[in-house]
Amino acid sequence: MKEYQDYSLLKHNTFGMDVKAKRYVEYRSERELKRLIPTLQGEVLHIGGGSNLLFRGDFDGTVLHSAIKGIEIAEEVEGEDEVLVRAGAGEVWDDVVAWAVAHGLGGLENLSLIPGEVGASAVQNIGAYGVEAKDVIAMVEAIDMQRGEKRYFATVECDYAYRQSIFKNQLKGKYAITYVVYRLQKTPVLKLEYGNIRSVLGDQANVTIADVRQAIIDIRNAKLPDPKVQGNAGSFFMNPVVSREKFLSLQKDYPQMPYYEVEGGVKIPAGWMIDQCGWKGKALGRAGVHDKQALVLVNLGGATSDEIIRLCDTICKDVKEKFGIDIHPEVNMI
Ligand code: EPU
């Protein structure tokens, strides 16, 4: 176990906010976590790679971080196509994707290069290029933060929805995820329908999951800023879902508007609306809108959380005025 007081979180949030935690503890096993639980006082925040967080200021409590490692085949039945792979919550997400691709196991490749760690990816139900974490998760293992008991969540119990889960809602702060089990395929079924995956792959024959991973990496690198170079937390906003009526009336005014039919309505890309409002590549103080993907807010260097929030609020107001749609941050503000 590693423990620090008045610890700088600068390296633990990709937005690059220089804030401090009163206490910071990193544990390496479920046993260490269980030992730690009775010592916790006041507010507790569990973080992963800090790639979806915006700290508003110092955190006057304990920040916990899992360093539970390990990626292994948990179950493989002879003659069956599915394989269960179990990963520790503290594994870097993309390392798990790379491991699966190297072992010829399909299912994770479209989620290549998403920043963050395994535990948080199951809380946030990360998604990209037509795949969400919930599509590949078979089970989530967690520890009850009150009683220290282990609980196994079947995927249906996790209440997964777009960037949502029970761990962000009803059970917020109640459980710490320790392992996630994924259901992967020995004979991968490629998902190439989203956006420009096919055009990036070109007319290659016999496309493999390694090719898909590389194409996704190329697309992401071209569109999304590298947090090591420019602080950011990926998509700052969620894509709103509007009613069919609202969509049809908007489509009359904006025939070029991209959209996706989803359960309960039509999803409109917030990035497109922000772009239409003229915000792409613009800034307010030291908080900016990425010049290649307007859904991403960036720290242009030394931005305070107030500057980022001011930009967020201004964008929300402009989108509401132009399109009559409320957009909401995807980033968790602490
Ligand atoms: N668009 C614009 N201008 C922009 C941004 C987007 O016109 O500045 C248009 C695009 O041309 C496209 C549509 O909007 O027609 C959608 O854009 P894109 O495919 O880039 O995806 P997105 O909806 O903006 C979502 C996820 C991303 C994920 C991509 C790809 C959310 C909040 N974001 O973005 O996730 O990588 O799809 O699947 O759902 C993240 O969550 O951090 C993240 C990066």
Side-chain angles (χ1 to χ4, degrees):
M1 203 134 52
K2 286 186 192 158
E3 170 152 9
Y4 307 91
Q5 311 292 324
D6 289 323
Y7 179 77
S8 168
L9 295 168
L10 184 60
K11 279 190 283 172
H12 297 275
N13 73 102
T14 58
F15 242 123
M17 295 293 140
D18 195 4
V19 294
K20 279 189 180 140
K22 196 167 162 201
R23 184 184 179 204
Y24 178 89
V25 189
E26 190 174 271
Y27 57 88
R28 286 165 306 179
S29 64
E30 290 186 340
R31 250 180 64 196
E32 282 191 352
L33 173 60
K34 287 180 186 174
R35 274 216 320 266
L36 185 64
I37 289 172
T39 74
L40 296 173
Q41 284 167 346
E43 242 191 305
V44 174
L45 172 70
H46 208 295
I47 62 167
S51 52
N52 208 37
L53 287 177
L54 179 62
F55 285 105
R56 290 164 178 270
D58 289 345
F59 187 76
D60 188 30
T62 306
V63 171
L64 294 181
H65 182 234
S66 168
I68 298 180
K69 301 284 188 191
I71 311 172
E72 53 173 20
I73 292 186
E75 197 182 305
E76 185 174 6
V77 181
E78 186 101 12
E80 280 191 19
D81 191 55
E82 279 177 1
V83 177
L84 295 182
V85 169
R86 183 173 183 251
E91 283 290 345
V92 169
W93 168 257
D94 195 54
D95 290 350
V96 179
V97 180
W99 185 97
V101 170
H103 286 75
L105 298 172
L108 304 184
E109 58 282 358
N110 288 38
L111 302 175
S112 290
L113 214 62
I114 295 183
E117 295 172 1
V118 163
S121 72
V123 174
Q124 185 66 8
N125 186 23
I126 55 170
Y129 307 102
V131 177
E132 282 185 319
K134 74 167 172 54
D135 306 329
V136 280
I137 289 176
M139 188 173 67
V140 173
E141 303 181 25
I143 299 286
D144 181 325
M145 292 300 284
Q146 289 294 319
R147 283 174 276 183
E149 286 162 8
K150 178 122 188 200
R151 180 168 161 191
Y152 297 84
F153 291 83
T155 318
V156 288
E157 292 178 282
C158 300
D159 284 354
Y160 280 127
Y162 171 60
R163 300 294 194 273
Q164 296 296 333
S165 74
I166 198 163
F167 308 108
K168 278 182 85 173
N169 297 306
Q170 295 98 304
L171 295 184
K172 190 170 179 184
K174 301 251 187 307
Y175 284 87
I177 294 177
T178 51
Y179 292 91
V180 180
V181 179
Y182 302 95
R183 196 185 300 283
L184 305 183
Q185 309 134 356
K186 285 194 224 168
T187 318
V189 181
L190 304 182
K191 295 209 174 67
L192 308 176
E193 307 317 316
Y194 188 98
N196 56 341
I197 302 181
R198 273 191 198 280
S199 63
V200 171
L201 283 167
D203 45 16
Q204 247 185 88
N206 305 323
V207 174
T208 64
I209 49 176
D211 298 327
V212 177
R213 171 168 168 76
Q214 193 53 52
I216 302 280
I217 288 175
D218 292 345
I219 298 171
R220 289 189 72 96
N221 280 338
K223 268 195 179 180
L224 299 168
D226 179 352
K228 287 192 205 95
V229 179
Q230 193 167 53
N232 75 88
S235 302
F236 196 91
F237 301 96
M238 284 189 277
N239 287 331
V241 174
V242 302
S243 69
R244 185 140 269 289
E245 297 75 57
K246 173 74 188 166
F247 163 69
L248 290 172
S249 87
L250 271 176
Q251 206 186 28
K252 279 202 198 107
D253 296 335
Y254 303 97
Q256 308 298 329
M257 178 174 70
Y259 64 93
Y260 313 98
E261 308 266 357
V262 294
E263 233 184 84
V266 183
K267 194 182 265 185
I268 315 284
W272 177 82
M273 292 193 280
I274 298 166
D275 194 352
Q276 292 291 308
C277 289
W279 271 110
K280 200 182 208 164
K282 298 277 161 52
L284 262 187
R286 291 167 292 181
V289 179
H290 187 49
D291 56 359
K292 299 194 186 74
Q293 163 54 291
L295 199 55
V296 179
L297 301 192
V298 291
N299 179 349
L300 295 171
T304 61
S305 55
D306 284 349
E307 281 176 279
I308 308 272
I309 290 165
R310 192 158 68 94
L311 177 60
C312 161
D313 290 345
T314 314
I315 288 173
C316 289
K317 195 171 99 324
D318 285 2
V319 167
K320 176 82 178 176
E321 256 168 38
K322 192 169 170 70
F323 297 98
I325 295 176
D326 288 303
I327 58 169
H328 300 283
E330 181 201 9
V331 165
N332 299 303
M333 299 192 197
I334 310 291

